[in-house]
Amino acid sequence: LGQMGHPDALAAIDAARDAINATPAAAGILDFDTESARRRLERGFSMVAIAGDSTMLVRGMRDVLGKLR
């Protein structure tokens, strides 16, 4: 999905967050990495989703299959 850690992408995300935080709205973002999600909360996001439906399904199946091996 691109280079979300690229400095240009991070700058754009920070600018969007700042613009949203200047309004009554809550700034939220989707991030699939827990450490990155923690940093985003520390940097001013109000909400960070850390998985989508398919990600949760894959993680759950890996856990189940790992227990069966």
Side-chain angles (χ1 to χ4, degrees), residues 12-29:
I13 291 167
D14 287 346
R17 179 209 55 224
D18 292 345
I20 294 166
N21 282 341
T23 73
I29 193 166

Side-chain angles (χ1 to χ4, degrees), residues 5-6 8 12 15-17 20 23 32-33 35 48 51 61 68:
H6 189 278
D8 292 343
R17 179 209 55 224
I20 294 166
T23 73
F32 292 96
D33 176 72
E35 288 305 313
V48 179
M61 288 307 299
L68 292 174

